[in-house]
Amino acid sequence: MVGDALEGYVRILADVCPTGRRLTRDELEFLRAQGERAAEEGEGLRVLVRRHLAAAREVGAGLPATGTDRLLVAVEQAIDAFAEGHERAQRLAVRREEAARREFIDDLLYGRSDLGRLAERAVRFGLLLSHAHAVAVAQGGPAVDDTHPATRQVTSALVARFGERSILLATKEGRLICVAPGDQDDVLTFFAKQAYAATEGGRVAIGRAHPGAGGVVHSYEEALNALDLADRLELDDPVLRAADLLVYPVLTRDRQAMADLVRHTLGPLRDARGGAQPLVDTLNAYFDSGCVAAEAARRLNLSVRALTYRLERIRTLTGTDPADPVHRYTLQTAVIGARFLGWPDNEV
């Protein structure tokens, strides 16, 4: 702080020292206001305190020895008030920055702002929306926000590993989100690893890279849809890539057709002793294990003989053979549909 403001501080000291009185409310408020103004102009507190002390020394040079103690008391009050104003302005600036960042993230992920204006604002946060970007979304047990330990842990790990790359970390609706350039898959892979650990076994979905501001929205929606599919289909993978799951939206796009396929293909399993669920679980394990009977039996804690019996029972009831390549596609598609629709617990 220089010029008139510093002169006002010197006048206050000169007026206080002869009597040793305390600074008045107006004087303290003046100093707080000057502290706020200095912070808004980007002046550091340490440099400003040094200037205050230097000015105080000049005032003290003309005082008798008895005035030194009075000067020190006045300087203490003055610098305390000035620093309070400076810190108040800093907190306000942080809150404004947080609000602007939150507004930008909402607009970016939902595509609610003018794309040209959004691209201009993105530069402030390190993103060049003219390039392609991909979005990863981590979803764990407890919801996270910007102050959550998991958020701080992942942020620190990414900064330590990749420095000032064009990466945006944020939270939205209790999830941890990373936006990265589409050609930097190593960033998203590292984020997935760190987020999985920080959320204590959460699940991470990575959308495909798409160009432009609208591409971020598209990638974000792909990641959310991947998480939703993983829940519906009971997928166990901790890291999901939307590019690897494209077949599922295709298969489930026509819900009525899928429901008809499930009823027609798997409906006869309801007549089995114990109901359809054990046999549907058998098919799930069989297909997930690459149609290897020994591996499927291990996953189900069955003997290979018991598994073979179940597969034969399925063939008898449905008229389709899981081991037959021609029948296998129909059965596997029907099993995917059953997962998606919640059959046999839910009627379709």
Side-chain angles (χ1 to χ4, degrees), residues 11 148-149 277 310:
R11 284 197 300 269
H148 193 278
Q277 190 63 59
R310 286 191 180 185

Side-chain angles (χ1 to χ4, degrees), residues 60-257:
L63 294 177
T66 55
T68 302
D69 290 341
R70 295 173 181 176
L71 175 65
L72 291 176
V73 172
V75 168
E76 180 182 0
Q77 295 178 64
I79 291 183
D80 184 68
F82 181 84
E84 180 184 348
H86 194 280
E87 291 171 357
R88 186 165 60 191
Q90 294 282 27
R91 288 194 297 269
L92 181 59
V94 168
R95 285 197 292 269
R96 286 174 178 168
E97 181 69 15
E98 289 175 348
R101 188 174 187 273
R102 175 55 55 191
E103 181 181 1
F104 167 73
I105 290 168
D106 289 345
D107 291 344
L108 178 68
L109 297 180
Y110 292 142
R112 295 186 301 204
S113 178
D114 173 77
L115 295 184
R117 174 64 182 144
L118 189 64
E120 293 176 4
R121 293 160 62 199
V123 175
R124 175 181 174 187
F125 298 99
L127 298 182
L128 295 176
L129 295 185
S130 57
H131 300 167
H133 287 81
V135 180
V137 179
Q139 179 175 279
V144 299
D145 57 23
D146 292 342
T147 61
H148 193 278
T151 305
R152 295 197 299 270
Q153 179 180 334
V154 174
T155 300
S156 297
L158 280 170
V159 170
R161 177 69 178 272
F162 300 108
E164 298 301 321
R165 288 201 199 178
S166 300
I167 304 169
L168 178 66
L169 281 175
T171 58
K172 186 68 179 173
E173 297 177 347
R175 303 183 183 98
L176 189 57
I177 297 165
C178 178
V179 182
D183 60 354
Q184 296 184 17
D185 189 66
D186 56 330
V187 173
L188 297 178
T189 300
F190 185 78
F191 167 81
K193 179 180 179 181
Q194 295 297 319
Y196 177 76
T199 56
E200 300 179 357
R203 178 176 281 153
V204 184
I206 302 174
R208 293 178 296 165
H210 298 281
V216 174
V217 179
H218 193 179
S219 184
Y220 176 61
E221 290 176 346
E222 285 184 341
L224 292 181
N225 289 336
L227 290 172
D228 181 60
L229 274 174
D231 288 338
R232 292 192 182 195
L233 301 179
E234 299 178 356
L235 302 179
D236 296 328
D237 297 4
V239 179
L240 306 161
R241 291 185 177 270
D244 298 333
L245 302 176
L246 292 177
V247 65
Y248 293 108
V250 172
L251 293 177
T252 57
R253 188 163 293 150
D254 190 335
R255 185 183 181 92
Q256 186 56 53

Side-chain angles (χ1 to χ4, degrees), residues 256-280:
Q256 186 56 53
M258 182 59 76
D260 290 342
L261 177 65
V262 171
R263 283 195 301 267
H264 175 76
T265 305
L266 302 180
L269 298 182
R270 289 188 180 277
D271 296 332
R273 185 169 57 184
Q277 190 63 59
L279 297 181
V280 172

Side-chain angles (χ1 to χ4, degrees), residues 15-71:
D15 188 61
V16 167
C17 288
T19 62
R21 67 171 175 82
R22 295 187 62 82
L23 274 64
T24 66
R25 180 177 299 178
D26 289 343
E27 289 169 338
L28 292 173
E29 191 53 42
F30 167 79
L31 291 166
R32 293 189 189 101
Q34 295 308 315
E36 289 186 21
R37 178 183 172 187
E40 291 168 357
E41 293 175 353
E43 297 191 68
L45 183 58
R46 189 167 65 177
V47 173
L48 294 169
V49 169
R50 191 159 55 239
R51 289 178 186 168
H52 277 67
L53 293 178
R57 281 197 299 271
E58 293 181 7
V59 173
L63 294 177
T66 55
T68 302
D69 290 341
R70 295 173 181 176
L71 175 65

